[in-house]
Amino acid sequence: MTTVLDYRKIVDSILAKTGKSEKDIKDMISNKIERFAGLLTEEGAAFMVAKELGLEVEIEFQSERNLKISDLRKGLKNVCLLARVLNIGEIRSFERDGRKGRYCKIVIADETGETTLTLWDRQVQMIDSEKICKGGALFVDGCYVTEFRGNLALSLSLRGRIYNADGRYDLSKLPRVKPSLVRLSDIKEPTKNVDFFARVTRVFDRFEFEKDGDKGDVLRFEVWDGKKITKVVAWHNITSKAQKLYSGELIKIEGADVKEGRNGLEVHLGTRSRIIENPKTEIVIPEIYEITGKSYVRKKINEITEANYFAEVFAEIVSVRKSKFLYDFCNECRASSSNSVCERCGKKTKKRLVVSLRIDDGFANINCIMFGRVAENVTGFSTLKLTELVEKDGTDKALKLLEEKMIGSFVLLHGTSRKSIGQKEEIEMIVDDILPIDNKKEVEGFYYALSEMKP
Ligand SMILES: [Zn+2]
């Protein structure tokens, strides 16, 4: 049994008992909804407003038990249903009015159809702990139906609950899901909704695209499954996750579509896909040294003494070099250009980010240069955002912001050393990837190393 609140009744009761105008009441309700970052329904917000005004609100008990997906209609509340998970999308975070949270859209189906269901914080944890997983059955209690761009969708209410239904309910009518784990190199023709393990070999920059009325971000990367390199194209929101991947990283991808591309089959990731880092698996995907020719070995900065070292370095950012931060780059030729048209192919160039930082690990310091995606990852600014900033406020202001944001923070990076091309000849690093930091381990190690050095 779940509770049902009647919006109109609550508003009428506030009107009658407080003498406030209908407009005032509605403003209070919409403020409430705003403050809760869209987590509250209109009814829930009205209920809270009434409570704050000291009014008793009548709660009716009612529930829409065991609906089928084909029964869903816009505005239905307290929906309960049994369904199977077809896909789990990327987990995303939001922050509004100081409140941080996570949400995730999953696709569920029963014998009558499929729909998306939005999960919030507590239920997102059930994805982390694998209580909600692709192919699993769920009993969902207490969600409401919304409509977005003409499509109905479900969202779990604040009081909603989800239960893993495997082994507890009669699941015989639910659609069966064929096993979707594949080995990429075994796939010979286009297919949909597959999962696979692979290692990342290369990640390219993120770009904005606009095509046939569709607008958004696209990012390409490549993966190796032990036999073959496959191109992956990430679309829209999943690009934020994809752009932080690094060469050599083991990942699992769920909900991918394999399509015919210009040079053979390629993998496409969209709203129904997700990338899982450090997945648990017994499948062994070989390391990629042989493919990339690069093996990054952990080094102290004072050990990097000549060009062509592939090194992993953990250090603190101590300064940011003043520069223009942006240059013209042709994505076709993968080369820089002195103006907005490529000298080689004549195509329009794009702005690309470049940042030069000095990092220090307590043993020595070194200059590091980061381009494109890597620069976006280390600065936390998209190219577009930094371009706007530089155009509006100039490079001095941009430098100040970057310094405030980065100096004193730590980076774990993979880089290739080279002789600097500046006047002062020294060894510097071109950064190939920024890696996620295991904070405790790295920072403790860093200070331990410092304390060892002191007399
Ligand atoms: Zn070009």
Side-chain angles (χ1 to χ4, degrees), residues 319 321 358 365-367 369 418-429:
S319 68
R321 184 181 284 177
R358 192 159 279 277
N365 59 64
I366 193 167
N367 200 54
I369 303 155
R418 70 168 190 192
K419 284 214 172 76
S420 72
I421 31 182
Q423 293 165 332
K424 197 171 62 170
E425 201 169 280
E426 61 170 10
I427 296 296
E428 61 183 14
M429 285 192 101

Coordinates of all heavy atoms in Angstrom, one line a residue, residues 319 321 358 365-367 369 418-429:
S319 N 53.0 25.0 -10.9 CA 52.7 26.2 -11.6 C 52.1 26.0 -12.9 O 52.1 24.8 -13.5 CB 54.0 27.0 -11.8 OG 54.9 26.3 -12.6
R321 N 52.0 27.5 -16.8 CA 52.7 28.5 -17.7 C 51.7 29.3 -18.4 O 50.7 28.8 -19.0 CB 53.6 27.7 -18.7 CG 54.4 28.7 -19.5 CD 55.3 27.9 -20.5 NE 56.5 27.3 -19.8 CZ 57.3 26.6 -20.5 NH1 57.2 26.3 -21.8 NH2 58.4 26.0 -19.8
R358 N 54.0 22.9 -14.6 CA 55.2 22.3 -13.9 C 54.7 21.5 -12.7 O 53.9 21.9 -12.0 CB 56.2 23.4 -13.5 CG 57.5 22.9 -13.0 CD 58.6 24.0 -13.1 NE 59.1 24.2 -14.4 CZ 60.1 23.5 -15.0 NH1 60.6 22.5 -14.4 NH2 60.5 23.8 -16.2
N365 N 61.4 18.6 -10.4 CA 60.2 19.1 -11.1 C 60.4 19.0 -12.6 O 61.6 19.0 -13.1 CB 59.8 20.5 -10.6 CG 60.8 21.5 -10.8 OD1 61.2 21.8 -12.0 ND2 61.4 22.0 -9.7
I366 N 59.3 19.0 -13.3 CA 59.4 18.9 -14.8 C 58.3 19.6 -15.4 O 57.2 19.7 -14.8 CB 59.5 17.4 -15.2 CG1 59.9 17.2 -16.7 CG2 58.1 16.7 -14.9 CD1 60.2 15.7 -17.0
N367 N 58.5 20.1 -16.6 CA 57.4 20.7 -17.4 C 56.6 19.7 -18.1 O 57.2 18.8 -18.7 CB 58.0 21.8 -18.3 CG 57.0 22.8 -18.8 OD1 56.4 23.4 -17.9 ND2 56.8 22.9 -20.0
I369 N 53.4 19.0 -20.9 CA 52.5 19.7 -21.9 C 51.3 18.7 -22.2 O 51.5 17.5 -22.4 CB 53.3 20.0 -23.2 CG1 54.4 20.9 -22.8 CG2 52.4 20.7 -24.2 CD1 55.6 20.8 -23.8
R418 N 60.7 14.3 -23.8 CA 61.4 14.8 -25.0 C 62.2 16.0 -24.6 O 62.1 16.5 -23.5 CB 60.3 15.2 -26.1 CG 59.6 16.4 -25.7 CD 58.8 17.0 -26.9 NE 58.3 18.3 -26.5 CZ 57.4 19.0 -27.2 NH1 56.8 18.4 -28.3 NH2 57.0 20.2 -26.9
K419 N 63.1 16.3 -25.5 CA 63.9 17.5 -25.3 C 63.1 18.7 -25.6 O 62.4 18.7 -26.7 CB 65.2 17.5 -26.2 CG 66.2 16.6 -25.8 CD 67.6 17.1 -26.1 CE 68.7 16.3 -25.5 NZ 69.0 15.1 -26.2
S420 N 63.0 19.7 -24.8 CA 62.2 20.9 -25.0 C 62.6 21.6 -26.3 O 63.8 21.6 -26.6 CB 62.2 21.8 -23.8 OG 63.4 22.5 -23.8
I421 N 61.7 22.2 -26.9 CA 62.0 23.0 -28.1 C 62.2 24.5 -27.8 O 62.5 25.3 -28.7 CB 61.0 22.8 -29.3 CG1 59.6 22.6 -28.7 CG2 61.4 21.7 -30.2 CD1 58.5 22.4 -29.7
G422 N 62.1 24.8 -26.5 CA 62.3 26.2 -26.1 C 63.8 26.6 -26.2 O 64.7 25.8 -26.6
Q423 N 64.1 27.8 -25.7 CA 65.5 28.2 -25.7 C 66.4 27.5 -24.7 O 67.5 27.0 -25.0 CB 65.6 29.7 -25.4 CG 64.9 30.6 -26.4 CD 64.7 32.0 -25.9 OE1 64.5 32.2 -24.7 NE2 64.6 32.9 -26.9
K424 N 65.8 27.3 -23.5 CA 66.5 26.6 -22.5 C 66.3 25.1 -22.8 O 65.2 24.6 -22.8 CB 65.9 26.9 -21.1 CG 66.8 26.6 -20.0 CD 66.3 27.2 -18.7 CE 64.9 26.7 -18.3 NZ 64.4 27.0 -17.0
E425 N 67.4 24.4 -23.1 CA 67.2 23.0 -23.4 C 67.0 22.1 -22.2 O 67.9 22.1 -21.3 CB 68.4 22.4 -24.2 CG 68.0 21.2 -25.0 CD 69.0 20.8 -26.0 OE1 69.1 21.4 -27.1 OE2 69.8 19.9 -25.7
E426 N 65.9 21.5 -22.0 CA 65.7 20.6 -20.9 C 64.7 19.5 -21.3 O 64.2 19.5 -22.3 CB 65.1 21.4 -19.7 CG 63.8 22.1 -19.9 CD 63.1 22.7 -18.7 OE1 63.8 22.7 -17.6 OE2 61.9 23.0 -18.7
I427 N 64.6 18.5 -20.3 CA 63.7 17.4 -20.6 C 62.3 17.8 -20.1 O 62.1 18.3 -19.0 CB 64.2 16.2 -19.9 CG1 65.5 15.7 -20.5 CG2 63.2 15.0 -20.1 CD1 65.5 15.3 -21.9
E428 N 61.3 17.6 -21.0 CA 59.9 17.9 -20.6 C 59.1 16.7 -21.0 O 59.6 15.7 -21.6 CB 59.4 19.2 -21.3 CG 59.4 19.1 -22.8 CD 59.0 20.4 -23.5 OE1 58.9 21.4 -22.8 OE2 58.7 20.3 -24.7
M429 N 57.8 16.7 -20.6 CA 57.0 15.5 -20.9 C 55.7 15.9 -21.7 O 55.1 16.9 -21.4 CB 56.5 14.9 -19.6 CG 57.6 14.1 -18.9 SD 56.8 13.1 -17.7 CE 56.8 11.5 -18.5

